[in-house]
Amino acid sequence: MSLRRLGFLSAALLTAAALTACSAEPVEADDPKPSATGTTTAPSGAPGGAPDKGGLALADAIRKIPVAEEKRTGYARDSFKHWVDEDDDGCPTRQEVLLAEAVTAPEQGARCTISGGSWLSYYDEAEVTDAKKLDIDHMVPLAEAWDSGARDWTPERREAYANDLDAERSLVAVTAKTNRSKADRDPAQWMPPAQSATCTYLVDWTATKLRWNLSADETEHAALLELAEPCADSTVDYEPAL
């Protein structure tokens, strides 16, 4: 089981135990939407959550991203094998993310089928109660990753990137509408429609680029720094991918 899944499951079990002990009445969860400064009531590292304290200031982290020309030559989506069942537990990557990020836990059936449950798409602040209406977004899209350095990786490393469950910021469940609006565009070309998502999205994007040692072209790099100006309190934590 992935570190991401274990972390979310542990948090969910603790929350359930606390609610059972305190009250039988329904309890409304804290609003997990990020604020304009990137702070939030959501757990650190959760989609829409603030990064842990002690990381790099967002602007400093952006400056650590190598600046280089992007090259699309040779890209094909199937160069990144994705939605694999890496730990052989019957749940491919898509289902793992859905289970981990559910606000209300869904029922899990045979072959990791999912029914019920609810999710918060932080890109547009939409609550979703049908998993079929969610896409799993690669924070840095596969084509953008290719342009930014993944073209030189082995197929095995590209597969690891496309199914990265060991970093909570690499993959996120969002509405299909926003994911398809984003497509393969970087923050110079597209940002989430919810203003509350701005700082969190920049943190997530930057952390993913640094984790995988991906570059940014000059236009993207300049846009990241400009967009990050209102996010002075936001910080970035990441672990380099092995």
Side-chain angles (χ1 to χ4, degrees):
M1 184 178 291
S2 69
L3 295 177
R4 175 194 183 106
R5 178 93 176 269
L6 283 170
F8 276 87
L9 287 175
S10 297
L13 288 171
L14 288 172
T15 300
L19 291 178
T20 300
C22 294
S23 174
E25 295 298 319
V27 177
E28 187 169 319
D30 289 338
D31 185 355
K33 298 191 288 287
S35 74
T37 61
T39 58
T40 178
T41 56
S44 177
D52 295 330
K53 294 180 180 179
L56 290 168
L58 176 57
D60 290 340
I62 291 168
R63 293 186 183 99
K64 287 177 63 71
I65 300 174
V67 178
E69 181 183 359
E70 294 185 356
K71 299 178 182 178
R72 181 65 59 93
T73 305
Y75 170 72
R77 186 170 175 81
D78 59 10
S79 296
F80 296 81
K81 184 178 180 181
H82 53 286
W83 305 166
V84 301
D85 182 8
E86 185 176 4
D87 55 7
D88 295 321
D89 67 349
C91 294
T93 301
R94 172 182 165 82
Q95 306 298 85
E96 295 273 17
V97 177
L98 290 172
L99 289 167
E101 296 190 0
V103 176
T104 304
E107 293 185 6
Q108 182 178 339
R111 298 184 180 180
C112 209
T113 56
I114 287 175
S115 60
S118 66
W119 293 261
L120 176 68
S121 168
Y122 90 83
Y123 287 4
D124 51 359
E125 298 182 342
E127 182 179 355
V128 179
T129 56
D130 181 355
K132 294 178 182 178
K133 295 182 179 180
L134 291 164
D135 281 354
I136 306 304
D137 183 34
H138 291 94
M139 178 54 56
V140 175
L142 301 181
E144 169 69 18
W146 177 275
D147 299 351
S148 306
R151 61 185 176 276
D152 297 325
W153 295 351
T154 64
E156 292 76 17
R157 187 165 180 80
R158 287 195 288 268
E159 178 178 328
Y161 175 83
N163 299 275
D164 186 10
L165 291 170
D166 289 330
E168 294 163 352
R169 302 191 174 277
S170 295
L171 301 167
V172 58
V174 296
T175 56
K177 179 180 178 180
T178 54
N179 184 48
R180 293 166 198 184
S181 171
K182 172 181 173 178
D184 62 0
R185 294 185 286 178
D186 67 34
Q189 305 161 313
W190 186 90
M191 286 291 292
Q195 185 177 0
S196 62
T198 295
C199 295
T200 302
Y201 187 78
L202 294 172
V203 166
D204 291 357
W205 181 278
T206 301
T208 303
K209 284 242 163 171
L210 290 173
R211 172 171 166 77
W212 290 92
N213 194 29
L214 295 169
S215 63
D217 62 24
E218 291 183 357
T219 301
E220 176 191 343
H221 202 264
L224 286 169
L225 287 172
E226 181 178 353
L227 290 164
E229 288 179 1
C231 306
D233 294 335
S234 296
T235 57
V236 176
D237 283 287
Y238 69 96
E239 291 186 6
L242 300 178

